[in-house]
Amino acid sequence: MVESRSFTEVAKWVNERPTHFRERIAYGTLDMSNSYAAVFSVTLPKATQVVDRFHVIKLATSALDGVRRRLQLERTGHRGRKDDPLYGSRKLLVMKGKNLDEKTTKRLETLLELGDPNAEVALAYRVKEALSDFYECRDIHQAQKYLEEIVDRISLVAMPLELRRLGKTLKYWFKKIMAFHEERMTNGPTEGLNNLIKRVKRVAFGFTNFENYRIRALLYGGKPNWRVLDSIVVK
């Protein structure tokens, strides 16, 4: 843990690691942050950067929700309410299509027919599902062709603004998104630890001293035997 998320502080921490530690790093997963990408490029130039799949799907889901919210406001003049079809579809839209049973799928289709006459939300939903399918591809060449088709289609002028923005982002990070198919790496363990650290801070109602915060987080992350904690003597 380092106190700052700035490029210089993170890069400094990496550079302070032993040479043999840094040379063994072949891959690094990251979200779509230029700062973290720069850290890898400067301090670990030989490491292959992999954009984490969770953040790609999250971005697609955010674009989908952006389309739904915009149409909701355009059609009704207000934010979503309980009886609005688009509002009622919001939770179903974030679920994987393959995880929906026949009844739930029919409900989603009905809600979109009522609230999405021009099929903009349905289109954004299919894009999100297509990106999910992209990660299921086992052939890297097939996956690349599939992602290229997604980017090309959603970058068309006729597409909703939210999808065009998504296409622009996917195109910018294309190579690092594709790198997932080299080793199928994920940032899940790191995200899990990050969530744990946030919970530690929340339970403690915040920390004014970073070092105390760091020690507490490391203790919880290391799953210590609290029964013997009183017997530990620090010299």
Side-chain angles (χ1 to χ4, degrees):
M1 285 180 63
V2 293
E3 190 169 2
S4 171
R5 296 183 62 181
S6 71
F7 166 84
T8 53
E9 290 299 318
V10 178
K12 179 183 176 183
W13 184 90
V14 176
N15 278 327
E16 288 175 349
R17 300 311 98 196
T19 302
H20 70 273
F21 174 89
R22 287 183 278 113
E23 288 181 346
R24 290 176 61 189
I25 299 175
Y27 293 89
T29 55
L30 66 156
D31 58 14
M32 286 171 276
S33 164
N34 282 315
S35 296
Y36 286 146
V39 170
F40 276 105
S41 298
V42 172
T43 63
L44 300 167
K46 295 182 180 180
T48 300
Q49 299 176 36
V50 183
V51 170
D52 185 55
R53 63 180 294 173
F54 168 80
H55 292 93
V56 175
I57 299 300
K58 181 180 178 182
L59 190 68
T61 302
S62 179
L64 166 59
D65 197 52
V67 174
R68 182 191 64 79
R69 288 171 178 265
R70 174 176 56 78
L71 287 178
Q72 169 70 38
L73 194 59
E74 289 176 355
R75 286 180 56 78
T76 65
H78 58 72
R79 296 175 62 184
R81 296 175 182 172
K82 184 175 66 174
D83 296 327
D84 294 331
L86 285 180
Y87 183 75
S89 69
R90 71 195 189 286
K91 292 183 179 180
L92 298 177
L93 289 170
V94 301
M95 298 175 65
K96 272 189 176 183
K98 63 177 64 175
N99 292 337
L100 300 178
D101 57 27
E102 185 177 349
K103 180 180 178 181
T104 310
T105 301
K106 185 61 179 177
R107 171 173 166 74
L108 177 59
E109 291 174 350
T110 300
L111 289 171
L112 291 181
E113 286 176 5
L114 293 172
D116 181 36
N118 295 324
E120 288 187 66
V121 175
L123 175 60
Y125 177 72
R126 287 198 295 271
V127 171
K128 188 262 293 183
E129 289 294 292
L131 281 171
S132 181
D133 292 339
F134 158 76
Y135 282 104
E136 300 301 322
C137 290
R138 292 295 169 176
D139 182 272
I140 190 170
H141 301 293
Q142 180 185 356
Q144 179 172 337
K145 183 178 180 181
Y146 196 44
L147 185 58
E148 286 174 348
E149 290 178 355
I150 293 173
V151 173
D152 288 343
R153 290 187 181 185
I154 64 178
S155 298
L156 296 174
V157 178
M159 290 291 170
L161 176 61
E162 296 84 355
L163 292 183
R164 279 184 277 137
R165 287 174 177 168
L166 173 63
K168 186 176 180 181
T169 303
L170 295 179
K171 186 175 182 179
Y172 180 81
W173 293 96
F174 190 93
K175 183 178 179 180
K176 294 172 183 177
I177 293 173
M178 277 301 308
F180 168 84
H181 287 281
E182 291 184 23
E183 287 292 329
R184 306 189 75 83
M185 300 190 71
T186 174
N187 212 23
T190 305
E191 293 294 341
L193 285 172
N194 190 44
N195 183 53
L196 172 64
I197 291 169
K198 290 179 179 179
R199 284 190 283 126
V200 168
K201 186 175 184 179
R202 186 165 59 247
V203 169
F205 296 100
F207 288 90
T208 57
N209 184 295
F210 175 76
E211 200 56 34
N212 291 339
Y213 177 32
R214 179 176 176 274
I215 291 172
R216 180 71 67 87
L218 291 174
L219 281 172
Y220 275 93
K223 298 180 180 179
N225 185 344
W226 296 104
R227 294 180 180 178
V228 301
L229 195 61
D230 291 338
S231 65
I232 297 175
V233 177
V234 180
K235 296 182 178 180

